[in-house]
Amino acid sequence: MTRPRVLDAHQHFWRIDAPECTWPDADWPLLHRDFLPPDLAAATEGLDFAGSVLVQSQPDDRDTDWMLALTADDPMMLGVVAWAALDALDAPARIAALAAHPKCVGLRPMLQSIADSEWILREDLAPAIAAMVAHGLRFDALVEPRHLPAIAALARRYPQLAIVVDHAGKPDAANLVLDPWRADLAALAELPNVWCKLSGLRTQQAQGQDAAALAPYVQHVLANFGGRTMWGSDWPVLLHMGDSYADWIDDTLALVGNTDLPRLFEGAAREFYGLEQ
């Protein structure tokens, strides 16, 4: 199958020696180096690459400021999903300042590393969430299956907040576990302000597992989210599995079957993040 034009809804850059960079560490040898725009250009060489959305990887204002400066004049960097401390007293002001940057399209609190699965529903976060809505920023939900009911509650509480579930909610694909992820994700899909990224699933598998084993997860996402599903590479984290950038495109094509490929690989991300055509 011919590879489609690709707008990557989810990729990362980092500088290993930056003081704010706490991950990846030496336990991730294939990732433990700098990844910067020339590396992405090399990874996507030969592809019909429309550009990408750069997503934060460090819960630190310094990383956000660096990403925004890095991408400011790069036409291939279509948007940045930044980080902000939503529980800070000055969060609304910080969010307003970030939203004023032309490349900032959303925020991502790193919910997967927070023990309280319902942290995002705390009342002291309401001013920050309201600021996101007021400034038209999207919410990237970096979650595990345990968070999905809370994300549904958040989506109902803020129907004007556009939410995308990163990596399909990180199901336990290594152990072929479907429930309760399956029901909770389907419940989320009933809410029109919630979208889903078909990204990061390879690194939910165990080393040596075949991408074909992801079929029930991919089909469930598409059956429930349909045109609100967007493709993301999760590069360079993808490299941890020994896969190339093109490998995940090809794996996705083999898994999605009869799907609107222009919508999946480009159109949905453009609509969700408000990117220019």
Side-chain angles (χ1 to χ4, degrees):
M1 181 180 292
T2 302
R3 292 175 182 146
R5 180 172 169 85
V6 168
L7 193 169
D8 190 344
H10 198 105
Q11 58 87 201
H12 304 288
F13 294 137
W14 55 67
R15 303 166 297 168
I16 286 297
D17 293 333
E20 68 273 13
C21 188
T22 59
W23 184 90
D25 56 26
D27 291 337
W28 298 73
L30 296 178
L31 309 182
H32 194 241
R33 66 173 181 87
D34 293 354
F35 284 94
L36 297 168
D39 301 295
L40 179 63
T44 58
E45 186 175 2
L47 300 175
D48 189 357
F49 186 66
S52 71
V53 175
L54 175 61
V55 179
Q56 64 81 225
S57 61
Q58 314 298 323
D60 194 298
D61 288 332
R62 294 171 294 181
D63 182 64
T64 285
D65 293 341
W66 170 72
M67 289 193 303
L68 291 172
L70 180 71
T71 61
D73 299 317
D74 187 338
M76 286 292 95
M77 296 291 104
L78 304 180
V80 173
V81 175
W83 179 87
L86 301 186
D87 54 354
L89 292 177
D90 65 346
R94 172 65 172 168
I95 291 167
L98 291 173
H101 194 289
K103 289 285 179 80
C104 187
V105 294
L107 296 178
R108 184 171 85 150
M110 302 189 80
L111 300 182
Q112 69 173 10
S113 61
I114 298 175
D116 180 2
S117 300
E118 297 188 344
W119 179 87
I120 195 60
L121 300 177
R122 283 175 22 179
E123 288 300 325
D124 61 320
L125 304 186
I129 304 297
M132 290 185 66
V133 173
H135 293 287
L137 292 178
R138 289 77 172 167
F139 186 103
D140 263 63
L142 176 61
V143 295
E144 297 170 340
R146 64 188 172 92
H147 298 95
L148 295 179
I151 296 301
L154 179 73
R156 288 190 293 267
R157 184 181 295 179
Y158 297 98
Q160 293 178 297
L161 179 66
I163 298 171
V164 61
V165 179
D166 290 352
H167 313 325
K170 304 190 83 167
D172 183 6
N175 295 302
L176 303 180
V177 175
L178 284 167
D179 300 312
W181 169 85
R182 179 162 44 187
D184 289 338
L185 197 76
L188 260 181
E190 294 177 2
L191 303 168
N193 56 325
V194 182
W195 299 54
C196 192
K197 286 186 183 179
L198 205 57
S199 61
L201 289 173
R202 281 292 280 145
T203 43
Q204 291 304 113
Q205 293 186 285
Q207 293 288 344
Q209 278 184 305
D210 195 311
L214 293 171
Y217 301 96
V218 171
Q219 291 304 317
H220 186 67
V221 169
L222 290 171
N224 284 276
F225 284 94
R228 286 178 288 140
T229 308
M230 64 192 78
W231 183 88
S233 68
D234 199 27
W235 179 95
V237 183
L238 177 70
L239 302 178
H240 177 67
M241 297 298 285
D243 288 4
S244 70
Y245 195 102
D247 285 339
W248 178 234
I249 296 175
D250 293 343
D251 286 340
T252 303
L253 292 173
L255 288 162
V256 298
N258 185 21
T259 298
D260 183 344
L261 297 180
R263 177 70 178 175
L264 175 66
F265 279 92
E266 182 175 8
R270 285 200 186 276
E271 180 179 341
F272 179 79
Y273 285 116
L275 305 175
E276 294 181 2
Q277 293 292 333

